[in-house]
Amino acid sequence: MAKTETPKSRARFRRETPEDRRRQLGEAALRCIVKHGNAGVSVRQIAAEAGVSQGLITHHFGEINELVAYAFDIMSEGLLQSTLKAVGEAEPTPRGRLEAFIETSFSPILFDRDVLGVWVVFWGLILHSPRMSTSQQAEYSDYVNTVEGLIRDLADAEGFSVGDIRLTAIAFTALLDGLWLAWCLNPTAFKPDEGIQLCRNWVEGLRRGAYAARHE
């Protein structure tokens, strides 16, 4: 009669996969950086945060920079996926999707000063770690590609011209990044709703030809 309980008993002791363990270590690294800044980039502290031996970090990542880059991948991918989720749940029109993207960019998902602390650590490492530089380039490319698609869809749907869609997406990304950084450094500088309006104004300029092809 007790045989039906066997699968449950075995399920409790499911062995963690290497990717499960890597994920746990990456999340522990993020927590350490949030708590301690640059001082959190430490095998000893991350191992203690994760409740594992320092040797396990070496086993899965080899060196600390590899673990920190992986933590960066976790954070940046999570932020992008949260944004894409909001876009996917928006009104299914190019205008609705771009509006959702803008609003999410000024929501607590991204407007969080703890995120700035993590980014400051990552920015410092990018200059000295090829692995971090590669991760940052991939993250930036994914983000710009997302913006590029949203702008292209809007231009096609509304019939306005955009000369260089890639440079236009980079310009809009720079606006978003600049507003985010300004707010993180001084939250009294402007309100998130004002940031949303500034981006809407930028999109209106886009509609009126601010980034249309110029003919000599």
Side-chain angles (χ1 to χ4, degrees):
M1 295 291 183
K3 289 181 180 179
T4 56
E5 298 178 3
T6 302
K8 289 185 178 181
S9 299
R10 288 177 178 170
R12 292 194 196 103
F13 298 102
R14 180 182 67 84
R15 185 182 296 276
E16 291 182 329
T17 67
E19 188 53 39
D20 289 337
R21 180 59 77 182
R22 283 171 60 85
R23 180 85 186 189
Q24 290 170 5
L25 293 171
E27 290 172 350
L30 284 175
R31 293 194 298 272
C32 281
I33 294 170
V34 168
K35 292 176 183 177
H36 307 294
N38 279 301
V41 183
S42 156
V43 171
R44 180 182 61 78
Q45 289 201 65
I46 295 170
E49 178 70 28
V52 300
S53 69
Q54 296 180 39
L56 195 64
I57 291 177
T58 302
H59 171 73
H60 283 287
F61 293 97
E63 60 178 12
I64 187 65
N65 281 351
E66 182 67 26
L67 170 55
V68 173
Y70 179 76
F72 172 85
D73 292 341
I74 290 175
M75 186 187 78
S76 58
E77 178 66 16
L79 292 174
L80 180 59
Q81 289 305 314
S82 294
T83 303
L84 292 178
K85 181 175 183 292
V87 170
E89 294 172 350
E91 176 188 340
T93 64
R95 180 171 185 162
R97 288 193 290 270
L98 181 56
E99 180 71 10
F101 180 87
I102 291 170
E103 290 180 354
T104 304
S105 296
F106 291 89
S107 73
I109 293 172
L110 293 172
F111 264 46
D112 180 346
R113 298 188 81 190
D114 282 346
V115 176
L116 173 63
V118 176
W119 272 104
V120 168
V121 173
F122 288 151
W123 286 333
L125 293 173
I126 284 168
L127 299 177
H128 308 289
S129 168
R131 171 68 172 84
M132 275 297 302
S133 179
T134 298
S135 287
Q136 187 277 331
Q137 290 172 30
E139 179 270 337
Y140 183 75
S141 179
D142 288 345
Y143 191 83
V144 170
N145 286 341
T146 298
V147 174
E148 189 175 336
L150 291 168
I151 291 174
R152 180 185 292 108
D153 289 347
L154 185 71
D156 290 346
E158 298 187 3
F160 61 84
S161 171
V162 178
D164 189 320
I165 193 75
R166 181 73 176 173
L167 288 179
T168 302
I170 288 172
F172 191 47
T173 298
L175 172 63
L176 289 166
D177 287 347
L179 289 171
W180 172 79
L181 181 58
W183 183 88
C184 284
L185 293 174
N186 178 13
T188 65
F190 65 92
K191 298 176 183 177
D193 285 348
E194 294 172 326
I196 290 172
Q197 189 57 53
L198 288 172
C199 289
R200 288 172 177 160
N201 293 346
W202 188 94
V203 173
E204 187 58 31
L206 184 68
R207 289 188 173 100
R208 297 186 183 193
Y211 288 85
R214 301 297 181 214
H215 301 289
E216 298 295 336

